[in-house]
Amino acid sequence: MSQRHWKRRLLSAIAIATAAISSNAHAQDTSGLEPTVLLVVQQGEGALTEPGPSPTAPSKPAATESIVQPESDLAAPVVDESTYAAPSYASYGAPCNCCQGGCCTKKKKEAAMAKMKGAYQGVFYANDYSYLNDPCYDGPSFFGDSLKGMLNGTLDVGGEARVRYHSERNFRGLGPTGLGLTGNDDQFWLTRYRMFANWRLSENVRFYGEYLYADSGGETFNNRPIEENRGEAQNLFLEAKLTDNLSVRGGRQELLLGAQRLVSCLDWANTRRTFDGVRATYANKDGSIDAFYTHPVKRTFAYEDKWDSTNQDVQFFGAYMTRKDTWLGQWENYYLGLNNDVADFDYHTIGSRIVGKTDSNWMYEYEGGTQFGTNSDGTDHSAGFFTGGLGRQIALTKDWKPTVWFWYDYASGGDDSLRGGDGFDHLFPLAHKYNGFMDLFGRRNLHDINAQFITPFFGEKVKLLLWYHYFMLDEKTTPFDVVMNPYNTNNPAGDRELGHEIDVLFQIALNPRNSALIGYSHFNSGKYYSTTAGVPDVDADFFYFQYQMRF
């Protein structure tokens, strides 16, 4: 049996075992576990976020929850509840006579303050401004608060402005056939603006629209496709609550599922990813399940005079289930299908994810799956991926408690062909979050052994992240970039060692609506680059600064 097929069978066995264990999880004792605070890197979002109900939700948040995970700033601790409370459709609430009588306890005030800090979610259609109508909220006011709850509490308007500076050495532009080390240097600015309107037409129906404008300037080389889009309908949908537990949404909508390894709106990019289609969500206090059928929106280049169109040749569909309190922690199972009529392939991915925390403060996460289908050349496709992480907050002193994580990421390799062999296809991920901030490698034909160190830095408003990666090829063919293009198909690989990356990032929370990032990354090329013909044998550096405001 070949090494590649042995790995496939192992991944399949793991997935089957996980499903068997978890099927009885709700009947187990959960006293030894609690929801985890998973310290991973997310894209350039706001301050720490707790998933919360819509500003107009009735007092049944569990009955309206979906499975979309919030995003936070890079290096921010993320409360890893892969659910958010789906918006409901009542107006801002009635007065609280009890609170006028002095019953706003410290706990209630802290809860209102936490809602304020977590008002902005990874997808803006899940934002929660209910704290503005909470009599127990006595925190600060922000620019844009007056735009919430207009038209008798039925209309919320807001947005985001973001600017980021890049200095890239030896990896700007396109490599021989894809992104990678190029030997080119460049410096440039990226700007992005988002505006949204959430209008509750009735108790059970709402309309949501979001506009995005993304631009770049100062570059020497051509910008990447994900850096410019001068005017776009990012979200544009109607959503209806059919019952207390079931809602249906149709139109243009962003997708953000689980930990974003396979499905993400790609916030790090200047242009965010989005889809056209329909989605149904059923949720109760124990968990939720989503089913969707969509087409990706074309993002090939910036259109200046029309909206981006639907790619009818590609179908993306699936189901995603989350159960909150199993004896292993939070448990997710999913099926994701991808068909491409032009390239003539179909891939089907079955996976699961478990995340939790023990009584002794050990944190853990597992995600893995198997992928099957048909390649463009008519051959069978058999692939898989696996991620495992173990972390803990360490009390070095009374006031200094850094967090350490150790991770292993694997994604199967195959031949050099993009749609051939048994290389894993990572679908529509947030690759930037996991396999290095320089975005040199996608989740295919890859081993990534990595470790994180996260700590407050001169106070709680600044966090420091140190992240080390050691990259290797799974098969001795070619690395693939973050959009699944092979890096070098013309020459055989001389060695499997790709190299080392170190990421240093400071996240600065100026306040809950304004944040900044300062980061530096260095890639030290490995033996693959020194022994393989046709690729530059150079190291690379990446420095960036970002400022973001939400309103």
Side-chain angles (χ1 to χ4, degrees):
M1 183 184 301
S2 71
Q3 181 185 15
R4 182 161 60 228
H5 287 86
W6 179 86
K7 292 174 183 173
R8 307 295 183 277
R9 295 189 180 184
L10 176 60
L11 287 166
S12 299
I14 291 173
I16 293 170
T18 300
I21 291 172
S22 302
S23 63
N24 295 318
H26 63 281
Q28 306 297 323
D29 178 16
T30 61
S31 60
L33 295 172
E34 59 185 288
T36 185
V37 176
L38 176 61
L39 291 167
V40 295
V41 172
Q42 297 225 358
Q43 290 181 243
E45 294 291 316
L48 289 179
T49 59
E50 289 273 0
S54 164
T56 58
S59 57
K60 295 182 181 179
T64 58
E65 287 181 353
S66 181
I67 59 170
V68 174
Q69 181 185 13
E71 292 180 291
S72 76
D73 271 338
L74 288 167
V78 176
V79 180
D80 192 80
E81 317 242 358
S82 297
T83 63
Y84 74 93
S88 63
Y89 314 98
S91 62
Y92 280 69
C96 175
N97 294 325
C98 173
C99 290
Q100 294 175 1
C103 62
C104 280
T105 63
K106 180 181 179 182
K107 185 176 181 180
K108 290 181 179 179
K109 290 183 178 181
E110 289 175 346
M113 187 70 71
K115 280 191 174 183
M116 177 275 291
K117 293 180 179 179
Y120 287 81
Q121 301 289 307
V123 284
F124 278 2
Y125 56 74
N127 288 354
D128 172 14
Y129 304 106
S130 59
Y131 75 93
L132 292 172
N133 198 51
D134 190 336
C136 295
Y137 176 69
D138 59 0
S141 60
F142 300 98
F143 174 73
D145 285 355
S146 61
L147 301 176
K148 311 303 184 291
M150 299 186 296
L151 298 183
N152 197 29
T154 64
L155 177 63
D156 301 328
V157 175
E160 172 193 88
R162 191 178 84 175
V163 59
R164 189 164 73 226
Y165 167 77
H166 281 222
S167 176
E168 302 179 2
R169 186 181 73 89
N170 283 336
F171 76 106
R172 175 57 167 165
L174 300 177
T177 57
L179 296 175
L181 300 184
T182 62
N184 297 330
D185 303 343
D186 211 346
Q187 301 179 38
F188 54 95
W189 292 85
L190 300 175
T191 54
R192 188 179 76 187
Y193 307 95
R194 297 165 65 190
M195 287 292 298
F196 68 84
N198 185 44
W199 186 18
R200 292 165 288 279
L201 302 174
S202 70
E203 183 179 355
N204 296 314
V205 179
R206 70 157 172 162
F207 167 80
Y208 181 86
E210 183 175 330
Y211 171 83
L212 179 145
Y213 181 94
D215 205 354
S216 66
E219 60 270 89
T220 300
F221 297 93
N222 291 334
N223 60 277
R224 301 179 179 105
I226 61 172
E227 292 172 347
E228 286 191 358
N229 199 322
R230 299 188 183 95
E232 184 55 54
Q234 187 68 18
N235 288 279
L236 199 66
F237 61 78
L238 280 172
E239 182 174 6
K241 284 182 60 180
L242 304 183
T243 69
D244 287 344
N245 301 93
L246 178 64
S247 63
V248 176
R249 180 187 309 144
R252 180 161 296 188
Q253 54 192 287
E254 296 175 332
L255 297 178
L256 192 162
L257 301 178
Q260 304 184 74
R261 288 187 176 90
L262 302 182
V263 184
S264 172
C265 49
L266 193 60
D267 186 67
W268 175 256
N270 215 31
T271 61
R272 290 167 62 100
R273 184 185 291 128
T274 193
F275 299 82
D276 289 331
V278 63
R279 175 176 176 174
T281 300
Y282 180 88
N284 58 31
K285 62 183 178 61
D286 297 318
S288 56
I289 183 168
D290 269 350
F292 61 93
Y293 184 90
T294 64
H295 301 277
V297 172
K298 293 180 180 179
R299 295 292 201 207
T300 53
F301 55 86
Y303 291 109
E304 297 192 32
D305 58 353
K306 63 178 181 179
W307 299 125
D308 285 356
S309 60
T310 306
N311 190 347
Q312 298 286 349
D313 297 323
V314 178
Q315 303 91 43
F316 182 53
F317 49 90
Y320 202 108
M321 181 191 74
T322 295
R323 191 170 181 88
K324 296 179 182 178
D325 296 316
T326 76
W327 68 280
L328 287 172
Q330 180 161 296
W331 170 52
E332 302 165 10
N333 280 316
Y334 51 85
Y335 161 75
L336 303 170
L338 177 65
N339 291 341
N340 189 309
D341 297 333
V342 174
D344 194 24
F345 70 86
D346 63 279
Y347 293 160
H348 308 272
T349 305
I350 298 175
S352 62
R353 175 176 176 255
I354 294 172
V355 58
K357 183 179 181 180
T358 70
D359 285 337
S360 55
N361 291 323
W362 285 98
M363 298 173 287
Y364 55 89
E365 181 183 5
Y366 149 82
E367 184 168 4
T370 184
Q371 190 174 81
F372 57 92
T374 306
N375 292 313
S376 294
D377 57 5
T379 60
D380 290 338
H381 179 73
S382 177
F385 84 103
F386 169 85
T387 293
L390 185 65
R392 190 174 187 180
Q393 189 176 58
I394 305 171
L396 296 180
T397 68
K398 179 181 179 180
D399 299 322
W400 187 31
K401 299 177 181 179
T403 300
V404 177
W405 275 91
F406 296 95
W407 297 90
Y408 169 64
D409 280 81
Y410 158 78
S412 62
D415 58 26
D416 292 343
S417 172
L418 173 59
R419 300 301 177 190
D422 293 332
F424 182 73
D425 188 299
H426 64 190
L427 304 178
F428 300 97
L430 172 52
H432 181 84
K433 177 180 173 182
Y434 295 109
N435 298 129
F437 292 167
M438 298 179 75
D439 292 320
L440 296 175
F441 309 113
R443 190 180 295 276
R444 175 178 173 136
N445 196 24
L446 189 68
H447 296 275
D448 179 6
I449 302 170
N450 59 95
Q452 294 172 299
F453 178 81
I454 307 167
T455 181
F457 191 81
F458 294 122
E460 291 297 324
K461 287 193 173 184
V462 180
K463 288 185 173 63
L464 168 65
L465 168 71
L466 302 175
W467 200 340
Y468 165 77
H469 296 265
Y470 176 59
F471 299 111
M472 291 184 64
L473 293 172
D474 176 48
E475 300 287 341
K476 199 174 175 181
T477 55
T478 181
F480 285 75
D481 65 21
V482 293
V483 292
M484 290 288 96
N485 286 324
Y487 179 57
N488 180 27
T489 60
N490 298 322
N491 300 289
D495 196 274
R496 294 172 58 210
E497 183 189 62
L498 294 171
H500 312 256
E501 182 175 329
I502 181 70
D503 300 314
V504 182
L505 179 67
F506 291 92
Q507 179 195 6
I508 306 166
L510 302 172
N511 63 40
R513 299 292 180 267
N514 294 266
S515 63
L517 303 174
I518 302 175
Y520 169 76
S521 299
H522 175 77
F523 179 74
N524 182 254
S525 59
K527 294 180 181 178
Y528 169 83
Y529 293 94
S530 61
T531 61
T532 303
V535 297
D537 181 17
V538 295
D539 297 340
D541 296 279
F542 178 31
F543 171 79
Y544 55 98
F545 166 82
Q546 175 178 291
Y547 171 75
Q548 176 179 278
M549 178 185 71
R550 289 173 166 177
F551 55 89

